[in-house]
Amino acid sequence: MFNSSRSGSAAATRRLTLEYKQLSAPDSLFPACGPIDERDLLHWEALVPGPDDSPFEGGVFTAKLTFPASYPLEPPVMKFDPPIFHPNVYPDGTVCISILHAPGDDPNMYESSSERWSPVQSIEKILLSVLSMLAEPNVESGANIDACKMWRDDRKGYEEVVRKSVREQLGL
């Protein structure tokens, strides 16, 4: 079924296979998430819905998840493609949230180790954290300085930019 050499270590393959089965279940919150090619479990795609009561509401955003062969000991990288305008998303689309930061102590002493990645986290928890991030940015730890500044200084303008990009992304 899955090619272990393309899918990473045996531990990563087992864990990703289990998470894929859970996300594919009928009651999953994120059924549109899984490997791009089932022979390569290290590269996934997820469709992330815009949270209700946020400027992203109504949108559906494509994100790529790239897992290291050491997963679940190390976190994946998540990147919106195309990029979205958000304080916690780098201009290239890479998501910057605590749960995706390497385990252990933060060298900048901003995050506690309990906020960072640990093997008990899951893809579903990442996606839930991203939904929360979309609705409530953390501008204290910004990845996109322009979006942070606009969110702080001109919230209405920020929301207009996001809503416009949602409409464009939907072809409206």
Side-chain angles (χ1 to χ4, degrees), residues 29-41:
L29 296 172
F30 301 100
C33 179
I36 295 168
D37 178 341
E38 289 187 358
R39 294 169 296 170
D40 180 3
L41 288 181

Side-chain angles (χ1 to χ4, degrees), residues 62-144:
T62 303
K64 308 277 192 225
L65 291 126
T66 304
F67 296 88
S70 58
Y71 183 80
L73 299 177
E74 297 290 328
V77 171
M78 183 173 184
K79 188 173 186 175
F80 282 103
D81 183 22
I84 62 171
F85 186 70
H86 188 280
N88 304 114
V89 177
Y90 287 101
D92 74 351
T94 303
V95 176
C96 180
I97 55 175
S98 299
I99 194 173
L100 292 175
H101 294 162
D105 294 328
D106 179 4
N108 299 318
M109 301 174 77
Y110 175 76
E111 303 165 329
S112 74
S113 59
S114 65
E115 296 173 306
R116 297 166 70 88
W117 180 258
S118 78
V120 300
Q121 305 293 4
S122 66
I123 299 164
E124 183 179 57
K125 288 179 184 174
I126 292 168
L127 294 171
L128 288 169
S129 294
V130 168
L131 288 179
S132 177
M133 172 207 78
L134 289 174
E136 298 176 29
N138 177 358
V139 294
E140 300 301 316
S141 177
N144 183 323

